[in-house]
Amino acid sequence: MAGGALIACTCGSLITVLLIFVSTANSAPTSAQCASNIQIKNWASIGDSYSNIVGGGLQDYEALMATDPCLQGKKPQYLSNPDATISQVSRDQVPRLLKDTNFITLSAGANDIGLVQVLDACVYNFIGSDSLPCGTLLGKAINSMSSADFASSWNNILSTSRSVLAPNAGKAYVVGNAAFFDETTTPSCSQTSLAVFSGTGQQKYLNGATRKGLNELIHRFNWWQHYLITKYNRAQVPSGDINQYPVQFIDPDDRFNGHRLCRAGIDGTGSSDGNTWFATGDGLSKPLTRSPYEQLKPPATCNPNGGWNEYATCQMAKAIQKASSLALTPSGSGTALNNWERIFHPTTQGQDLIRDEIVSQLAQGPTLSGYNLRILPLGASIIAGAHSSDGNGFRKVLSDTLRKTNTVSYVGSQGTAPLQHEGHPGWIIQDVSSVAGDSLPSRPNVVLIHVGTNDLLTNNNIEQAPDRMGALIDHVLAVATDAVVLVAQILPSSRDGAFDNFVRFNARVASVINQKQNQGKKVMKVWMPVTTDDLVDGIHPGDAGYNKMAQAWIKGLQRAADKGWIGTPVRV
């Protein structure tokens, strides 16, 4: 992209839905830590509470970023409003940006989907006896993501933010969220409540269903962000070169493995153990200096729509006014003196993890080079290359690109050399698992999986499909013990009634992959920059879509290489 550049430096911490625009007009080298010719004149922070990292408590990300050598100690033009929706950021903050701004960070979306209301219903019970069921609020948030308003708001914020820079002079990096909970069976956490009121009927226990539901919500949120960004990019870059896309999605989620709430072997949430990198409220309490009830907003004047802190204290005050017998728990009384906007935000350590993920994507590292890659493409018709003009799908483009700097071979019982594969049109996950053993003795050191489409389209026990994916991964790694397994977020379908099942499947598979990583397995999800507009029959992509898939697999391989996961293939 003309005039665009990436920063190769140790940038500070950012959180969720983070847009970074870099302009290099009239730039010059700045420091040894920066590989690009970048002159930072001004940068700005816009968005909601996630752009000022209220969860960290001691430091927000602007302070951390300002110490980075690439930014030369420059502080941002700070415009973020913790209570802002996406449209409010576009309306109120973007017009105030300085004209010479060349670096923008943006967070948005949590207020649009009503995340604080979800946490109220599922975790904290600010409303008291009038609280709605957790599932009801989760469903409402999920529905909001698929709305036309949500899509329109994202398209608008991407367009207006980019317009601050000169045409084609910047690139955006949108950073997704991290799921809150470890989903391992943890009896201690299942008996833990963070509810602000005590007494029968007031507790909201962090049982398995609640943890799973909240994680799925976050993974769906990430999926929708990525999908809407992909649609925007597709319109901007008709050539389909994803490296030229003006907006890139960065996913920090797997960096939180080992640091989520409710990990196995810890008491309760673990939020105060120093190794859990989300704030919850139970670890934020300060000594009470006056009655906790005096800290709450007067019910007659408070505004539950005024932001997370105002919402929490207002709803608590109204609940007590309605039922004076309600008593605040230590969590409720302690956090009332602090800031409810911090709940379920990453702590400073969590921000550092996100910073690391951003840096790994921003840094202009070397192209994947010098590896001996023995690749098994495993799945159904999309792996086989159905509806591509040469029948090879992504495989030829992928191998042609990788062979420029690596040694590449494919293995599989299908197709012809050198583009073999294990793709079986029409097969479901269980079928693919049963035949994987035909190729695994070849000991691939890379396995590319795209499967699940047929399970969803045939309604084959959809609820258990993510677990079958987990079993397939285990089967692969039981034989190819040293392999890296890259699991695609499967392409969406435009077939009637199928779309949401695909979104949910991908969200649940993301959790499955996190569990496998917690077990020490080299498994990673790969985002596919393909929308329904790239499909030729509502299921399969055409050549342009397959080319995008090849580019996405390369990004996944580079990330695996950065983790040190790719070794030399076993001699067979």
Side-chain angles (χ1 to χ4, degrees):
M1 172 173 282
L6 304 183
I7 295 180
C9 55
T10 306
C11 298
S13 303
L14 303 95
I15 177 63
T16 196
V17 197
L18 187 72
L19 248 68
I20 303 171
F21 288 89
V22 182
S23 174
T24 58
N26 303 315
S27 60
T30 57
S31 73
Q33 288 77 17
C34 299
S36 300
N37 293 331
I38 299 173
Q39 180 64 51
I40 301 296
K41 295 181 179 179
N42 292 292
W43 66 286
S45 173
I46 62 176
D48 57 20
S49 63
Y50 288 99
S51 66
N52 66 355
I53 312 303
V54 292
L58 299 178
Q59 277 189 311
D60 55 32
Y61 78 84
E62 301 94 338
L64 295 170
M65 289 184 69
T67 64
D68 185 88
C70 290
L71 298 181
Q72 304 170 8
K74 294 184 181 295
K75 295 182 179 180
Q77 179 192 11
Y78 183 67
L79 301 175
S80 296
N81 176 356
D83 310 328
T85 61
I86 301 171
S87 61
Q88 288 169 344
V89 175
S90 298
R91 183 193 67 197
D92 301 334
Q93 299 177 31
V94 172
R96 297 166 58 194
L97 291 169
L98 298 174
K99 291 183 179 180
D100 57 352
T101 296
N102 56 0
F103 189 94
I104 304 171
T105 63
L106 161 70
S107 75
N111 293 319
D112 295 76
I113 69 170
L115 184 55
V116 69
Q117 287 83 0
V118 171
L119 293 175
D120 179 1
C122 298
V123 180
Y124 291 102
N125 196 26
F126 301 127
I127 295 179
S129 300
D130 293 335
S131 178
L132 293 173
C134 176
T136 300
L137 270 295
L138 284 171
K140 184 177 180 181
I142 287 170
N143 289 337
S144 70
M145 297 177 204
S146 60
S147 69
D149 286 345
F150 192 71
S152 176
S153 294
W154 264 111
N155 188 71
N156 188 48
I157 191 65
L158 296 176
S159 299
T160 56
S161 296
R162 284 192 68 222
S163 68
V164 174
L165 304 175
N168 299 321
K171 184 174 282 192
Y173 297 84
V174 178
V175 179
N177 291 45
F180 304 130
F181 296 100
D182 188 323
E183 293 187 29
T184 305
T185 301
T186 50
S188 175
C189 201
S190 294
Q191 298 170 12
T192 297
S193 173
L194 299 179
V196 297
F197 295 118
S198 61
T200 303
Q202 301 301 323
Q203 302 301 297
K204 300 277 187 178
Y205 292 100
L206 298 176
N207 56 40
T210 295
R211 300 197 302 270
K212 183 177 180 179
L214 287 169
N215 279 357
E216 181 181 325
L217 178 70
I218 296 304
H219 289 309
R220 281 179 178 257
F221 190 36
N222 283 348
W223 191 93
W224 272 109
Q225 292 171 71
H226 179 268
Y227 188 76
L228 294 173
I229 290 165
T230 300
K231 287 182 72 70
Y232 176 83
N233 283 329
R234 189 177 187 275
Q236 307 304 309
V237 185
S239 69
D241 182 354
I242 68 173
N243 293 311
Q244 296 299 315
Y245 279 178
V247 185
Q248 301 285 333
F249 182 73
I250 297 177
D251 180 9
D253 180 60
D254 66 0
R255 288 184 180 266
F256 279 75
N257 287 326
H259 303 289
R260 303 186 201 273
L261 297 164
C262 296
R263 301 184 311 282
I266 62 173
D267 292 330
T269 63
S271 61
S272 58
D273 72 350
N275 200 33
T276 303
W277 293 342
F278 285 102
T280 62
D282 58 339
L284 298 178
S285 299
K286 294 179 181 178
L288 290 172
T289 57
R290 50 188 174 143
S291 165
Y293 299 98
E294 294 180 72
Q295 315 304 311
L296 302 178
K297 302 288 185 179
T301 59
C302 66
N303 176 18
N305 298 316
W308 286 36
N309 197 55
E310 184 82 1
Y311 173 89
T313 55
C314 184
Q315 298 291 24
M316 290 162 69
K318 289 185 175 182
I320 292 171
Q321 183 184 51
K322 185 174 182 179
S324 58
S325 61
L326 286 175
L328 288 170
T329 64
S331 176
S333 59
T335 310
L337 294 176
N338 292 290
N339 192 339
W340 283 106
E341 288 169 346
R342 295 167 65 182
I343 58 175
F344 280 71
H345 288 59
T347 62
T348 299
Q349 297 99 319
Q351 297 169 39
D352 287 340
L353 287 181
I354 296 168
R355 184 262 327 270
D356 292 343
E357 180 62 27
I358 294 167
V359 170
S360 73
Q361 298 295 319
L362 293 179
Q364 289 182 330
T367 302
L368 190 70
S369 178
Y371 287 91
N372 185 351
L373 303 173
R374 188 184 298 160
I375 302 173
L376 170 62
L378 181 63
S381 56
I382 291 176
I383 287 290
H387 289 276
S388 60
S389 60
D390 62 2
N392 292 314
F394 62 77
R395 299 190 310 282
K396 188 175 189 304
V397 175
L398 177 60
S399 64
D400 287 349
T401 304
L402 291 174
R403 283 195 175 103
K404 294 175 182 178
T405 53
N406 305 273
T407 301
V408 180
S409 61
Y410 284 118
V411 297
S413 66
Q414 304 296 298
T416 57
L419 298 173
Q420 305 99 304
H421 61 91
E422 203 64 66
H424 298 267
W427 284 25
I428 59 176
I429 297 171
Q430 189 171 348
D431 294 336
V432 171
S433 185
S434 68
V435 80
D438 294 345
S439 297
L440 290 173
S442 299
R443 297 302 300 271
N445 63 342
V446 173
V447 180
L448 309 178
I449 296 179
H450 184 291
V451 69
T453 301
N454 296 308
D455 295 72
L456 303 183
L457 292 178
T458 61
N459 291 310
N460 178 45
N461 194 3
I462 292 176
E463 188 65 27
Q464 298 301 316
D467 293 331
R468 295 195 294 275
M469 176 69 85
L472 171 60
I473 293 169
D474 289 340
H475 177 50
V476 167
L477 291 174
V479 179
T481 55
D482 57 337
V484 173
V485 179
L486 302 185
V487 182
Q489 291 274 278
I490 65 171
L491 308 189
S493 172
S494 58
R495 295 289 177 91
D496 290 344
F499 195 91
D500 188 66
N501 283 337
F502 280 69
V503 178
R504 188 180 189 200
F505 174 80
N506 281 323
R508 293 303 308 149
V509 166
S511 287
V512 169
I513 292 171
N514 282 339
Q515 293 171 30
K516 301 305 177 187
Q517 285 195 15
N518 284 334
Q519 297 166 8
K521 297 178 179 179
K522 296 185 292 187
V523 186
M524 183 189 302
K525 72 173 177 283
V526 175
W527 293 97
M528 288 293 156
V530 177
T531 74
T532 54
D533 297 324
D534 295 299
L535 307 179
V536 298
D537 62 349
I539 301 174
H540 303 92
D543 288 348
Y546 279 118
N547 288 346
K548 294 174 188 177
M549 291 185 71
Q551 295 174 66
W553 288 126
I554 291 171
K555 284 181 175 288
L557 286 167
Q558 181 64 67
R559 195 159 183 265
D562 291 343
K563 290 176 176 288
W565 282 5
I566 303 178
T568 302
V570 173
R571 180 174 296 183
V572 292

